Amino acid sequence: MSGVLDLVRDDLRGFAGYSSARSAKLEGDIWLNANESAWANPGDVQASCRRYPDPQPQALRERLAGLYGCSAEQLLIGRGSDEAIDLLVRALCVPGRDAVLYTPPVFGMYAVSARLQNATALEVPLRDTNAGFVPDIDTIIATARQGNAKLVFLCSPSNPGGLSIPLQEVEAVASALRGQALVVVDEAYAEFADEPSAVSLLARYDNVAVLRTLSKAHALAAARIGTVIADADLITVLRRCQAPYPIPTPCSTLALEGLSSSALELTHGRIATVRAERDRLRFALASRACVRHVYASDANFLLVRFVNAEAAFQTLLAAGVVVRDQRAAPQLQDALRITLGTPEQNDRVLDALTTLEPAA
């Protein structure tokens, strides 16, 4: 067994979890073991929902493993990255004793999961530099050591900051905290970036885990397909802590279709469009008098500081454009986050903001 299991809560290392009717590998043509209906629901046209789904559909698991460059045994499918975050916090953190470290401004679910588990929250703010929002690696390591962190969440590319964390910096954190903490790299926006995936570190560091999702680049947000990639022994523990049937059959089928060769080819083309639009919109916004600063981004969004963020937010809303208000987040009192849309949608953003420009 690997050393990463030493990071799991003592009381869960031998936890068997719930054994569902689909857990046993049995064969038969009349299934009377799960108290399911003998008839399909009238609204279930394909008759695919009468039976409970495979807890970890193997075809999808193998397809995702191939996509992300890991083995199927290193991958757990869940209901978006949110479930993976929650599972990791629950499986590793003893309530009232262990801590979770994250780097605000950042995705809010790390803090939420820590709070629900009564795990101490350790915050190491990102540094606002000329290059953009970047992590303070030395302080992350020192704070994790001093604060008894069991989990360190690194968002790369960062949301809402937008920048990737260089792989060597992720490795530095994993190396320094080996034996103490699991370093979880949230790569929800990795498809839009150039930085190599932290999955490549798993062969050398069993205290690294990676989160991926089909919600962003693959346009399957409503299907709720996320994955955690980690040491196979840790994946086994997480599976035992997971609810019995996490992946609905229609979602699994949709995900498989969305990862076909033809679908992936179309997705790659759309990613290229987003990247081109990211450059175009950043340049156009930066030239506006109503804009203070546009941050560089490796993701499918731009973080923008405005002279009057309230006026910008309301102007966009009046034009039918809904953006993310970031003003309640640390260090972002004048900022909005704008997702890259189609070229036509991005033009509407620019056109709406024209009304905020001073008269010539």
Side-chain angles (χ1 to χ4, degrees):
M1 303 294 276
S2 71
V4 73
L5 290 186
D6 292 336
L7 301 179
V8 175
R9 283 168 43 186
D10 293 346
D11 57 321
L12 291 183
R13 289 176 196 169
F15 180 56
Y18 173 72
S19 180
S20 72
R22 289 291 173 268
S23 300
K25 302 301 180 185
L26 303 173
E27 297 294 332
D29 61 323
I30 299 176
W31 290 80
L32 304 178
N33 66 333
N35 299 335
E36 299 153 327
S37 171
W39 302 273
N41 181 282
D44 183 9
V45 198
Q46 297 181 341
S48 62
C49 294
R50 179 168 67 91
R51 301 290 187 195
Y52 285 109
D54 184 340
Q56 290 292 296
Q58 192 59 26
L60 179 57
R61 203 177 182 198
E62 291 174 359
R63 185 78 55 87
L64 289 166
L67 184 68
Y68 297 138
C70 64
S71 69
E73 292 70 30
Q74 292 175 301
L75 185 147
L76 181 75
I77 310 171
R79 288 160 286 206
S81 297
D82 298 337
E83 184 186 20
I85 293 165
D86 183 62
L87 281 172
L88 286 165
V89 175
R90 285 193 290 119
L92 271 66
C93 292
V94 174
R97 186 192 76 183
D98 297 323
V100 173
L101 186 150
Y102 50 90
T103 58
V106 77
F107 183 48
M109 285 307 297
Y110 315 137
V112 169
S113 292
R115 175 76 177 272
L116 291 173
Q117 185 67 1
N118 191 24
T120 302
L122 303 175
E123 296 186 354
V124 179
L126 295 175
R127 294 184 295 115
D128 191 357
T129 70
N130 291 334
F133 279 101
V134 298
D136 185 338
I137 298 300
D138 291 340
T139 303
I140 287 171
I141 293 170
T143 303
R145 283 173 170 164
Q146 295 164 9
N148 197 35
K150 187 64 74 70
L151 282 165
V152 173
F153 284 99
L154 301 176
C155 192
S156 178
S158 176
N159 172 23
L163 289 186
S164 301
I165 302 174
L167 198 59
Q168 62 267 27
E169 294 187 5
V170 175
E171 183 171 8
V173 177
S175 177
L177 300 179
R178 196 198 298 261
Q180 180 197 324
L182 184 74
V183 179
V184 184
V185 188
D186 189 343
E187 296 184 346
Y189 301 93
E191 289 89 350
F192 303 101
D194 294 324
E195 191 66 32
S197 171
V199 169
S200 62
L201 298 177
L202 264 62
R204 302 194 304 282
Y205 298 94
D206 66 357
N207 67 322
V208 169
V210 177
L211 305 180
R212 299 297 295 259
T213 179
L214 300 186
S215 295
K216 311 301 182 183
H218 295 278
L220 292 175
R224 309 307 300 131
I225 301 291
T227 62
V228 54
I229 303 163
D231 181 274
D233 290 338
L234 179 57
I235 292 297
T236 299
V237 171
L238 296 176
R239 176 67 195 97
R240 291 169 182 163
C241 297
Q242 192 177 33
Y245 303 109
I247 312 301
T249 298
C251 295
S252 174
T253 301
L254 178 59
L256 275 171
E257 293 172 354
L259 295 175
S260 67
S261 297
S262 58
L264 286 175
E265 184 178 359
L266 186 58
T267 295
H268 292 151
R270 289 173 174 172
I271 290 171
T273 298
V274 168
R275 288 170 61 114
E277 284 295 292
R278 185 173 66 197
D279 293 340
R280 180 178 78 91
L281 196 63
R282 184 186 177 203
F283 178 80
L285 287 170
S287 66
R288 299 299 176 95
C290 63
V291 171
R292 281 200 177 113
H293 183 65
V294 186
Y295 286 88
S297 175
D298 297 323
N300 69 334
F301 57 80
L302 292 170
L303 182 65
V304 186
R305 291 192 187 276
F306 286 89
V307 174
N308 186 335
E310 174 65 16
F313 184 80
Q314 294 299 335
T315 296
L316 288 167
L317 199 56
V321 178
V322 183
V323 298
R324 183 73 159 179
D325 190 346
Q326 294 288 339
R327 287 175 290 169
Q331 305 185 65
L332 300 181
Q333 66 281 356
D334 58 355
L336 305 177
R337 190 193 69 194
I338 304 174
T339 304
L340 278 307
T342 65
E344 295 75 21
Q345 290 169 341
N346 298 332
D347 285 340
R348 279 184 64 181
V349 170
L350 295 173
D351 290 344
L353 293 177
T354 299
T355 63
L356 292 178
E357 296 298 295

